[in-house]
């Protein structure tokens, strides 16, 4: 009631004041404290203040202060003019209002942009971006999503476990099948051998054997060895069986002898003194010899892995030393003149086997040139 009466009295007193005596509305900072609506245009106001649009508040205040000193009636200057001062003051208010409106619109646009970004940001930060609606609704949707995901993970784990068990079972079954086949084959071979022995005995194939009806002789060299082992070894030796390492050792020795004879024959064929062309041929022969020695050394490595006696292991051959040895052998043969025709023919035959058609072609050309 009291506030309504006070407002009514103020309105009456304001209505009693003549229009030409009403004061201008007060300005506080950048805001107008009354409902003052400027009549001037914004561009004209900037032109009156001698400013450009987009200037700062400090420029506006400084320009207004300078123009007020110039046109204010109480300034005592020669250019004092009340009408010009009123235009300056009105232009100052219009410019301030325009700047305030622009600032407010820019702040509103930034706030709207921030709100939209903030909503999107919170949307992706909470509940892993799952769901829509209010926070409580999204929380319920997220809980259901987690339950479904956990159930899928459990099913996937059980599936992988069953697959692993099935794979192990399949492997065991395959292994059992292979083992059973192996046993069946062994038994079949044993039955076949036994049937053949019985058939031979029935035909009388074993009647003419030496020592029939006599006990097996035990060897007297080492009585501590099992007689069965000795008899098996004797049977193998009688039938020409040799262990693998013995065959490999024999092969290595024969190969190195052939290589040595081949390189000596090649050097003897080139003769001396050696021309540049023959030197190139000798270099090619040495390169091939080095490659053969490398392969032979690899064969020696395999031999050392299977040989049962440590003292029987072999060392690698050095290709450079073998080439020097072949050179010395050739020089010795030339000095003593011991290279007979039969030896040369044998060496040439081995060279033909080693180098193939190319070497035989060279021999044919040499015969024609002679």
């Amino acid at each position: 009631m009291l506030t309504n009466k006070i407002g009514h009295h103020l309105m009456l007193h304001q209505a009693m004041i003549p229009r030409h005596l009403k004061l201008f509305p007060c300005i506080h900072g950048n805001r107008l404290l009354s409902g003052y609506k400027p009549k001037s245009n914004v561009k004209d106001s900037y032109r009156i203040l001698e400013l450009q649009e987009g200037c700062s508040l400090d420029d506006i205040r400084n320009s207004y202060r300078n123009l007020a000193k110039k046109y204010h009636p109480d300034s005592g200057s020669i250019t004092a003019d009340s009408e010009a001062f009123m235009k300056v003051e009105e232009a100052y208010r219009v410019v301030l209002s325009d700047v305030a409106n622009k600032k407010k619109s820019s702040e509103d646009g930034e706030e709207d942009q921030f709100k939209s970004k903030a909503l999107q940001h919170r949307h992706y930060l909470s509940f892993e971006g799952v769901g829509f609606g209010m926070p409580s609704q999204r929380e319920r949707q997220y809980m259901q999503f987690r339950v479904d995901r956990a159930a899928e993970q459990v099913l996937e784990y059980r599936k992988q476990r069953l697959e692993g068990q099935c794979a192990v079972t399949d492997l065991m079954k395959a292994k059992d099948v292979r083992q059973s086949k192996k046993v069946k084959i062994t038994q079949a071979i044993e039955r076949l051998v036994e049937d053949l022995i019985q058939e031979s005995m029935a035909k009388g194939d074993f009647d003419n054997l030496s020592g029939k009806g006599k006990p097996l002789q035990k060897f007297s060299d080492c009585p501590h060895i099992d007689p069965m082992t000795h008899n098996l070894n004797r049977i193998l030796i009688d039938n020409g069986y040799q262990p693998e390492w013995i065959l490999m050792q024999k092969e290595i020795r024969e190969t190195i002898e052939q290589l040595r004879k081949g390189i000596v024959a090649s050097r003897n064929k080139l003769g001396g003194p050696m021309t540049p062309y023959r030197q190139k041929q000798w270099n090619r022969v040495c390169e091939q010899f080095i490659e053969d020695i490398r392969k032979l050394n690899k064969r020696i490595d395999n031999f050392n892995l299977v040989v049962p006696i440590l003292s029987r292991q072999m060392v690698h051959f050095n290709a450079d030393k073998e080439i020097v040895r072949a050179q010395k052998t050739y020089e010795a043969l030339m000095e003593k003149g011991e290279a007979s025709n039969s030896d040369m023919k044998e060496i040439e035959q081995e060279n033909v086997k080693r180098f193939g058609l190319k070497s035989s072609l060279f021999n044919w050309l040499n015969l024609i040139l002679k």
Side-chain angles (χ1 to χ4, degrees):
M1 292 291 291
L2 182 60
T3 55
N4 292 332
K5 291 181 179 181
I6 293 172
H8 181 68
H9 286 296
L10 289 175
M11 291 176 65
L12 291 175
H13 286 294
Q14 187 176 5
M16 294 172 64
I17 299 173
R19 181 174 296 178
H20 65 277
L21 294 178
K22 289 183 180 179
L23 299 175
F24 291 103
C26 296
I27 301 173
H28 181 70
N30 296 333
R31 295 182 60 188
L32 299 176
L33 298 181
S34 67
Y36 172 75
K37 295 182 180 179
K39 299 179 181 179
S40 301
N41 192 7
V42 177
K43 293 184 179 180
D44 296 337
S45 300
Y46 278 104
R47 182 178 55 77
I48 292 170
L49 294 177
E50 299 177 358
L51 296 172
Q52 298 292 333
E53 294 185 5
C55 58
S56 62
L57 291 174
D58 294 334
D59 295 337
I60 296 171
R61 289 167 183 164
N62 293 331
S63 178
Y64 172 71
R65 189 178 297 110
N66 294 331
L67 293 175
K69 291 179 181 180
K70 183 177 180 181
Y71 295 113
H72 199 278
D74 298 334
S75 63
S77 61
I78 303 173
T79 58
D81 188 357
S82 59
E83 293 182 359
F85 176 72
M86 293 294 292
K87 291 180 180 180
V88 169
E89 188 173 5
E90 187 176 0
Y92 176 62
R93 293 175 183 176
V94 171
V95 170
L96 287 178
S97 178
D98 180 62
V99 172
N101 293 331
K102 289 182 179 179
K103 185 176 180 182
K104 184 177 180 181
S105 61
S106 62
E107 289 178 355
D108 293 340
E110 291 178 356
E111 185 176 359
D112 295 339
Q113 186 178 5
F114 176 75
K115 285 181 180 180
S116 61
K117 289 185 178 180
L119 289 174
Q120 187 179 8
H121 186 63
R122 287 196 297 270
H123 175 75
Y124 284 103
L125 279 180
S126 60
F127 306 118
E128 300 181 11
V130 176
F132 58 90
M134 300 297 291
S136 58
Q137 296 176 353
R138 295 185 61 225
E139 184 177 3
R140 288 193 297 270
Q141 296 173 10
Y142 178 65
M143 293 300 293
Q144 185 63 35
F145 169 74
R146 290 184 61 184
V147 170
D148 297 339
R149 184 171 59 183
E152 291 178 358
Q153 291 177 355
V154 170
L155 292 175
E156 186 67 22
Y157 171 75
R158 290 180 178 176
K159 179 181 176 183
Q160 293 178 359
R161 187 176 179 182
L162 291 174
E163 289 178 355
Q165 292 178 356
C166 292
V168 173
T169 305
D170 293 340
L171 289 175
M172 293 297 292
K173 289 181 179 179
K175 185 177 180 181
D176 294 340
V177 170
R178 289 196 299 269
Q179 190 69 21
S180 62
K181 287 183 179 180
K182 185 176 180 181
V183 171
K184 290 180 180 179
I185 292 171
T186 304
Q187 293 176 355
I189 293 173
E190 290 178 354
R191 288 195 299 270
L192 178 61
V193 172
E194 187 67 24
D195 293 340
L196 291 174
I197 292 173
Q198 294 296 331
E199 184 179 355
S200 299
M201 290 175 65
K203 291 179 180 180
D205 295 337
F206 299 117
D207 294 339
N208 297 326
L209 294 176
S210 61
K212 178 183 177 182
K214 298 179 181 180
L216 295 175
Q217 296 180 359
K218 295 183 178 180
F219 65 100
S220 58
D221 295 335
C222 185
H224 302 288
I225 298 178
D226 184 15
M228 182 61 68
T229 303
H230 168 71
N231 292 329
L232 290 174
N233 290 334
R234 189 184 65 182
I235 292 171
L236 292 174
I237 293 171
D238 293 341
N239 288 275
Y241 173 78
Q242 293 181 355
E244 182 183 3
W245 65 274
I246 292 178
L247 296 176
M248 292 178 65
Q249 186 180 24
K250 184 179 179 181
E251 180 185 356
I252 291 170
R253 289 176 180 175
E254 292 177 354
T255 303
I256 190 63
E257 290 298 328
Q258 291 177 1
L259 291 176
R260 287 171 178 173
K261 289 181 180 180
I263 193 171
V264 171
S266 299
R267 181 66 186 88
N268 190 16
K269 183 179 178 181
L270 293 174
M274 297 177 63
T275 61
Y277 176 73
R278 292 183 177 181
Q279 184 65 37
K280 290 181 180 179
Q281 290 182 343
W282 174 246
N283 292 335
R284 287 196 293 269
V285 171
C286 293
E287 291 176 359
Q288 183 63 33
F289 181 76
I290 292 171
E291 180 65 21
D292 294 337
I293 291 295
R294 186 186 66 80
K295 295 179 180 179
L296 182 61
N297 290 332
K298 189 174 181 181
R299 187 67 176 169
I300 290 172
D301 292 336
N302 297 331
F303 167 77
N304 292 333
L305 291 175
V306 298
V307 64
I309 304 173
L310 186 63
S311 60
R312 293 295 183 91
Q313 290 190 348
M314 303 177 68
V315 295
H316 288 181
F317 292 100
N318 193 339
D320 297 334
K321 291 183 179 179
E322 293 294 334
I323 293 173
V324 173
R325 179 179 177 180
Q327 186 71 22
K328 291 181 179 179
T329 303
Y330 166 73
E331 293 175 357
L333 291 175
M334 291 296 101
E335 290 177 358
K336 295 180 180 180
E338 294 181 356
S340 61
N341 293 330
S342 60
D343 294 336
M344 290 301 297
K345 289 181 180 180
E346 183 180 357
I347 291 172
E348 287 179 359
Q349 290 177 359
E350 292 178 357
N351 195 12
V352 168
K353 292 180 181 179
R354 175 171 176 74
F355 295 101
L357 182 62
K358 185 177 180 180
S359 180
S360 61
L361 182 62
F362 284 144
N363 293 333
W364 181 69
L365 290 174
N366 289 330
L367 292 175
I368 292 175
L369 292 175
K370 288 180 180 179

